[in-house]
Amino acid sequence: MKLKNTLNDSFNSKAKVIYLTSFRKGRLIWQIGEKNQSDEFYFSVLHNADSFPRMPVILQSSGIPWAIGNAYLLGQLSNPNVSNMKTLSARAIHLKYYLQYLEDTEQHFLDLPKIYHERAPQRFKVFMIKILNNHDYSSEYINNILSTVAHFYTNIRYESLVPENSLQNEPFTQIKKTIMTTNQIGLAKSIDVITNDLRIKSSRSQTPELGKIRDGGSVRPLTLEEQRVVFECFKKNYASIELELMMRVAIETGARQQSVCTLSISCIRKAYDALEADSSITVTIVNVGNRFKADSKGGRLNRLMFGRELINDLIDYIDCERAENRRKKQNSFYNDTDDNYVFLTRNGNPYLTAQREIIDRQRPKPMWNDKAPTIILKNGQSLRNELKRFLLKIKKNNSAFCDFSFHDLRATAGMNVVRSMRAASYPDSKIFDHVRQFLNHRNIKTTETYLDFDSELTEFNDIQEAFGSMFYGDK
């Protein structure tokens, strides 16, 4: 079976990105030797310097680090927008593509002649347009790469990493645009934005496929029948208890993967205590993002609504021997404390590394595991693997069952709210407000797609059925 081509296949260059397990900022100091001792350099770590896990380093085809590219990455470490290292890693990979192009074409990043279209970044744009036209890549993905190249040139000038006269001929042209946008309450207004001519023109709005919703990507809500099959398979123990509970949290609260995977035990115990203190309430709030322990998209505050039954099941799991044993594993940094994640793999690793762990490892508390191995950032791959195995078990007895991603469960939660409120005869205005708050949408158009989803799907199916009757008649 031939694997799908990657962008790397477009280059002959062997430039690559490697990752340092742990990196600390420091300085190289020149020390003059006394008497017969020779002069020497030594490395000094900055006082109270943070440790950055999985620090990307760009290597040239020769295996030597690309000095200017890595200097740019180092400069970004003080930027709070890349503090989680994911953005920095993406920029390193994007910049590596540019280096590969430069090596293949035997150009230098400062090849900026007077003729505009012959300047290295402009030629790179033409090359990326050809890739876009000939391969199955989105314009958004290609533009992200080109945006990193523009950001690279802007920052090496700002940080004075190259002489100013070497950038006398501009690598790209900045463009000021006025665009119309809609704020969080639906009011339209015009704003001025600065872009550049390295970007490839593309449609700003992407229409999702039929049967899908555009909500942080193209997602497919599970039908009620599919959900019934999933829960029946939970009873048959097709899924681990960890996967079952994580899926239930996503379906019942609409939480994103990063929130589900980074929930702390203390969050759930606090929710449990709130329910125990007042028997009249059936739901409680668990806050994620902002200053709270569980992560959220963009760090924004999100209030997740947990039902009493789900909280009770989570507490039963937290207090069971299986979960306790996982917390006591060598890899478990937080040890058997309430600071730990609710869900850990069998090796004691989190399914997805929380931002708080990266910070807490700088100054660990005595009750935590100071013998835990050096952090290796987890990105949810273990969860995806477990979900894949679960789907394979379902399809053994139900070959027509459709695959779904963990993120599809969030859309499922949203559509469950819409359908249940419509069944209870709530007006669309009330449903809209509830879904928007439930899923913490910033854009009202995203919420509108949930309310229109069923009607658009029904209209399409009715049209298809009408065409079928027209051509084939009743059989």
Side-chain angles (χ1 to χ4, degrees):
M1 182 179 67
K2 190 179 186 304
L3 296 176
K4 181 179 178 181
N5 289 339
T6 67
L7 199 52
N8 266 331
D9 297 324
S10 303
F11 305 97
N12 294 318
S13 165
K14 301 302 180 185
K16 61 183 179 180
V17 175
I18 64 170
Y19 295 89
L20 304 179
T21 303
S22 182
F23 174 80
R24 293 179 185 270
K25 282 186 176 182
R27 58 168 63 93
L28 201 60
I29 299 175
W30 175 256
Q31 180 173 299
I32 299 175
E34 298 180 1
K35 296 182 180 180
N36 297 329
Q37 295 179 340
S38 58
D39 300 343
E40 62 180 359
F41 284 109
Y42 70 94
F43 182 77
S44 174
V45 176
L46 298 177
H47 181 62
N48 288 331
D50 288 338
S51 174
F52 296 93
R54 199 167 163 75
M55 174 68 188
V57 177
I58 306 173
L59 300 183
Q60 302 172 81
S61 291
S62 63
I64 298 174
W66 187 32
I68 189 65
N70 292 309
Y72 160 78
L73 296 177
L74 285 172
Q76 296 302 296
L77 287 178
S78 58
N79 185 340
N81 291 328
V82 297
S83 60
N84 63 6
M85 303 301 288
K86 293 178 183 177
T87 303
L88 190 67
S89 178
R91 288 181 180 174
I93 293 170
H94 294 166
L95 207 53
K96 185 263 303 183
Y97 292 137
Y98 186 43
L99 173 60
Q100 288 179 291
Y101 169 77
L102 294 175
E103 290 189 341
D104 283 352
T105 56
E106 297 183 349
Q107 295 183 82
H108 190 273
F109 74 96
L110 290 177
D111 282 348
L112 305 170
K114 288 186 178 181
I115 301 176
Y116 189 70
H117 68 268
E118 291 186 356
R119 297 173 191 176
Q122 296 299 323
R123 286 186 167 186
F124 181 59
K125 175 186 174 181
V126 173
F127 176 79
M128 296 306 287
I129 290 175
K130 291 180 181 177
I131 287 180
L132 179 61
N133 292 336
N134 297 331
H135 297 85
D136 188 23
Y137 299 113
S138 69
S139 56
E140 181 182 10
Y141 178 57
I142 298 300
N143 274 330
N144 284 339
I145 296 171
L146 294 171
S147 294
T148 296
V149 172
H151 194 263
F152 162 72
Y153 278 102
T154 300
N155 275 265
I156 63 174
R157 166 176 275 166
Y158 178 78
E159 299 285 349
S160 300
L161 298 177
V162 293
E164 181 62 30
N165 59 8
S166 65
L167 293 171
Q168 190 171 0
N169 294 324
E170 297 292 341
F172 56 85
T173 300
Q174 288 192 339
I175 301 171
K176 183 177 180 180
K177 288 185 176 182
T178 300
I179 62 172
M180 295 299 297
T181 185
T182 305
N183 65 15
Q184 296 185 27
I185 60 173
L187 298 177
K189 66 174 182 178
S190 62
I191 59 171
D192 293 331
V193 297
I194 301 296
T195 181
N196 60 73
D197 65 352
L198 282 185
R199 289 189 61 82
I200 297 171
K201 292 182 180 180
S202 63
S203 172
R204 285 181 56 84
S205 59
Q206 294 182 321
T207 304
E209 304 170 41
L210 184 72
K212 293 190 176 181
I213 291 174
R214 194 78 186 171
D215 185 359
S218 188
V219 291
R220 181 183 73 84
L222 275 64
T223 65
L224 293 176
E225 175 59 22
E226 287 175 318
Q227 292 178 66
R228 185 192 66 75
V229 171
V230 165
F231 277 81
E232 282 297 320
C233 290
F234 285 162
K235 295 177 183 178
K236 297 176 182 177
N237 296 322
Y238 283 10
S240 68
I241 184 60
E242 290 79 18
L243 178 61
E244 176 183 336
L245 287 171
M246 285 191 281
M247 290 178 65
R248 283 182 56 191
V249 171
I251 291 175
E252 295 182 37
T253 72
R256 290 183 172 88
Q257 177 178 292
Q258 64 260 52
S259 299
V260 176
C261 292
T262 57
L263 284 171
S264 72
I265 294 173
S266 59
C267 293
I268 303 304
R269 290 206 188 279
K270 183 177 179 181
Y272 176 78
D273 290 342
L275 290 169
E276 287 294 291
D278 188 348
S279 60
S280 66
I281 60 175
T282 58
V283 296
T284 187
I285 299 297
V286 173
N287 293 311
V288 301
N290 201 350
R291 68 182 189 278
F292 297 98
K293 291 186 175 181
D295 292 345
S296 68
K297 183 178 180 180
R300 299 197 311 269
L301 174 63
N302 193 5
R303 295 179 174 88
L304 304 177
M305 298 174 61
F306 281 72
R308 183 180 291 275
E309 183 178 351
L310 179 56
I311 288 293
N312 287 340
D313 289 347
L314 288 169
I315 286 294
D316 287 343
Y317 170 72
I318 288 168
D319 291 335
C320 77
E321 185 178 359
R322 176 186 173 102
E324 183 181 341
N325 288 338
R326 293 190 174 204
R327 293 194 292 271
K328 291 180 178 179
K329 294 285 187 180
Q330 181 66 29
N331 291 326
S332 176
F333 170 70
Y334 287 110
N335 218 325
D336 193 14
T337 68
D338 283 358
D339 293 314
N340 215 330
Y341 302 83
V342 173
F343 305 112
L344 296 172
T345 68
R346 67 180 64 184
N347 295 321
N349 289 312
Y351 284 88
L352 192 150
T353 306
Q355 288 303 298
R356 62 188 176 91
E357 181 178 349
I358 296 173
I359 297 170
D360 288 343
R361 278 178 175 263
Q362 309 299 323
R363 298 168 185 83
K365 294 180 180 178
M367 71 282 293
W368 296 338
N369 181 12
D370 58 0
K371 293 183 174 60
T374 303
I375 187 172
I376 298 177
L377 299 182
K378 302 300 180 182
N379 62 4
Q381 188 58 50
S382 295
L383 173 57
R384 290 187 286 274
N385 290 342
E386 285 198 32
L387 179 58
K388 184 177 180 180
R389 290 192 291 269
F390 176 61
L391 289 170
L392 288 174
K393 290 178 182 178
I394 294 177
K395 294 170 83 168
K396 277 186 178 180
N397 299 317
N398 188 347
S399 59
F401 191 85
C402 295
D403 288 342
F404 61 86
S405 71
F406 194 85
H407 194 48
D408 290 340
L409 302 179
R410 169 175 163 80
T412 304
M415 284 309 305
N416 285 347
V417 171
V418 172
R419 289 163 179 159
S420 63
M421 292 187 73
R422 278 201 171 133
S425 300
Y426 282 95
D428 274 8
S429 58
K430 192 73 174 177
I431 299 173
F432 176 88
D433 289 340
H434 190 79
V435 172
R436 188 181 175 204
Q437 292 180 45
F438 181 69
L439 295 179
N440 196 32
H441 287 152
R442 301 183 73 180
N443 190 333
I444 63 170
K445 294 186 180 299
T446 304
T447 310
E448 288 171 353
T449 60
Y450 280 84
L451 271 67
D452 298 337
F453 178 79
D454 279 343
S455 60
E456 290 179 354
L457 195 59
T458 301
E459 286 174 7
F460 177 83
N461 290 334
D462 288 346
I463 291 170
Q464 291 298 100
E465 186 176 340
F467 271 112
S469 298
M470 184 187 303
F471 285 112
Y472 303 109
D474 296 329
K475 291 187 179 180

